[in-house]
Amino acid sequence: MKTKLIRINPENPEPLLVEEAARILKEGGLVAFPTETVYGLGGNGLDSEACKNIYIAKGRPSDNPLILHISQISELRPIVREIPLAAQKLMDAFWPGPLTMIFPKSQIVPLTTTGGLDTVAVRFPSHPVAKAIIRATGLPIAGPSANSSGKPSPTRASHVEFDLSGKIDMIVDGGAAEWGLESTIVDVTGEVPVILRPGAITKEMMESVVGEVMIDPAILTKPSDDLKPKAPGMKYTHYSPKAKVTLVKGNTEAVISKINELCVDERVQGKKTGVMATEKTKGCYHADVILSLGDRDKLEEIGANLFKLLRKFDYLGVDTVFSEVFPEEGEGLAIMNRLNKAAGYYRVEAEEAK
Ligand code: AMP
Ligand code: MG
């Protein structure tokens, strides 16, 4: 299959290009497009065949359900059985935006879309291109991240091209994704909303709207038989580059000297080393490749750059990457969740010099 690549205006998408992408989706084809989180791989969410093709193109396990994307609140009703009060409050506050909610699904949503579950994940994205394309189809659009399963999510059209060229009908290039981390997922089917995947909409932000919000404990630690994440996709070691990733925790000075020490050990063994640093520390490391995630005080910058950097280490043929860590709270929770997964939860403690 030849994949058509088109470039679109991210703020004011050209109507003819929007129509072209929507036509492919309506005919059952697959189109990758930008959203404010990461690039999504769109297909008709009510068409089992289109959804099957999404799983095939991504190499995604079929028990990992897809998120349905809508372009106006009125499109929610037909795909869910009920809208709980907490969901109503959360959508009033955060839609359109990087928040996905889990609802009991209606009859029209195929089980292929939901990986066999009786619930459905729904998001109303805010990106003008995503909104325009979905609106032009008049359909709920299934849109998982447009990467090969297991790879870091794509934040640029070039990442999608690298993973999926030849496997999908079209890639709509609308520049870099603003947030760079996937949406927050919250389950609103129970009494208290539960965060199944941390993202840009934080626990604190949701609590200010609905009161108590819980976090699925399985997302903070390595999934095990005793502790399985409620979002099926969260059990997979996602986001991993080919390089081995190690997180190094401790105070700044200790982290710098520990990472430099570890890099020496690896280089002795002939390994190409990489360090995921921040703006203030990037000059302090000795490694083959040193990349900065951005300003440590601007977590949104760190989040936006994370997947791009993980992919860059692979592109540069780095064997082993050492990364600084961030506080596991607020926006930092989403960053650490993805970093922990990239590292297979492997971290070392840097000890303070006595
Ligand atoms: P992606 O679309 O690649 O961002 O991944 C979607 C995430 O949403 C995966 O982790 C899925 O397991 C999760 N998800 C989708 N639908 C549901 C659902 N009905 N219940 C729980 N998690 C879901
Ligand atoms: Mg994904």
Side-chain angles (χ1 to χ4, degrees):
M1 176 189 293
K2 185 153 172 31
T3 302
K4 186 169 182 185
L5 181 66
I6 62 171
R7 191 160 295 181
I8 204 162
N9 182 324
E11 270 119 50
N12 286 305
E14 298 81 348
L16 277 179
L17 298 180
V18 169
E19 276 308 322
E20 193 180 344
R23 191 170 357 102
I24 295 174
L25 289 166
K26 283 192 279 190
E27 287 167 0
L30 304 185
V31 176
F33 54 79
T35 83
E36 70 278 19
T37 57
V38 300
Y39 271 71
L41 176 58
N44 178 353
L46 301 183
D47 174 355
S48 276
E49 273 312 304
C51 291
K52 263 187 213 150
N53 290 333
I54 290 180
Y55 288 104
I56 293 169
K58 281 179 58 72
R60 181 174 175 114
S62 59
D63 70 344
N64 187 359
L66 308 175
I67 296 174
L68 288 186
H69 293 70
I70 57 174
S71 63
Q72 47 193 337
I73 303 258
S74 61
E75 291 164 2
L76 177 64
R77 254 283 150 223
I79 54 178
V80 302
R81 283 203 304 279
E82 59 164 304
I83 302 176
L85 183 62
Q88 188 62 56
K89 289 184 183 168
L90 289 170
M91 77 178 80
D92 288 347
F94 303 113
W95 274 5
L99 179 69
T100 296
M101 286 190 266
I102 310 288
F103 297 89
K105 82 169 191 70
S106 77
Q107 283 284 346
I108 64 165
V109 179
L111 288 168
T112 324
T113 309
T114 66
L117 298 176
D118 188 38
T119 50
V120 62
V122 186
R123 178 158 91 91
F124 176 179
S126 63
H127 196 293
V129 173
K131 274 200 298 197
I133 292 176
I134 299 164
R135 177 76 63 99
T137 64
L139 292 163
I141 295 296
S145 49
N147 52 320
S148 289
S149 200
K151 290 260 193 73
S153 293
T155 57
R156 307 277 187 289
S158 59
H159 300 164
V160 182
E161 216 182 338
F162 188 83
D163 281 12
L164 300 180
S165 191
K167 297 179 175 172
I168 62 175
D169 297 285
M170 179 183 266
I171 299 171
V172 180
D173 182 352
E178 185 193 344
W179 289 106
L181 297 179
E182 306 86 346
S183 59
T184 304
I185 301 180
V186 62
D187 184 348
V188 286
T189 59
E191 216 141 88
V192 178
V194 184
I195 297 176
L196 307 187
R197 177 172 75 185
I201 306 295
T202 62
K203 178 175 189 279
E204 295 76 12
M205 288 161 78
M206 287 191 272
E207 277 178 340
S208 70
V209 176
V210 289
E212 191 189 3
V213 173
M214 295 192 309
I215 298 182
D216 179 3
I219 62 179
L220 299 172
T221 53
K222 190 173 181 171
S224 67
D225 284 346
D226 301 333
L227 202 59
K228 286 206 180 90
K230 292 215 185 62
M234 295 296 280
K235 68 175 177 283
Y236 298 107
T237 11
H238 271 66
Y239 320 117
S240 32
K242 283 194 224 103
K244 177 175 168 236
V245 179
T246 303
L247 310 184
V248 184
K249 193 174 174 245
N251 76 34
T252 311
E253 265 174 45
V255 166
I256 292 169
S257 59
K258 184 72 182 176
I259 288 182
N260 284 334
E261 206 178 285
L262 290 166
C263 281
V264 171
D265 294 348
E266 294 288 332
R267 285 167 107 177
V268 167
Q269 295 173 44
K271 297 280 198 290
K272 187 166 179 179
T273 55
V275 176
M276 199 135 66
T278 43
E279 275 309 287
K280 282 206 183 113
T281 59
K282 65 182 181 192
C284 307
Y285 293 107
H286 309 290
D288 298 304
V289 178
I290 299 156
L291 301 175
S292 167
L293 280 165
D295 183 342
R296 171 169 283 280
D297 297 327
K298 295 189 189 135
L299 287 179
E300 69 282 1
E301 203 174 299
I302 308 282
N305 287 325
L306 179 60
F307 290 146
K308 182 180 72 173
L309 257 56
L310 288 175
R311 282 180 177 262
K312 196 156 180 190
F313 283 117
D314 268 359
Y315 178 74
L316 296 172
V318 171
D319 300 301
T320 182
V321 173
F322 297 101
S323 177
E324 297 178 10
V325 299
F326 301 89
E328 284 189 332
E329 58 198 24
E331 284 168 296
L333 188 64
I335 293 167
M336 285 310 299
N337 172 259
R338 305 326 189 260
L339 260 179
N340 271 315
K341 279 173 165 279
Y345 297 84
Y346 184 60
R347 66 163 76 182
V348 297
E349 299 279 335
E351 278 173 38
E352 266 175 71
K354 299 245 162 60

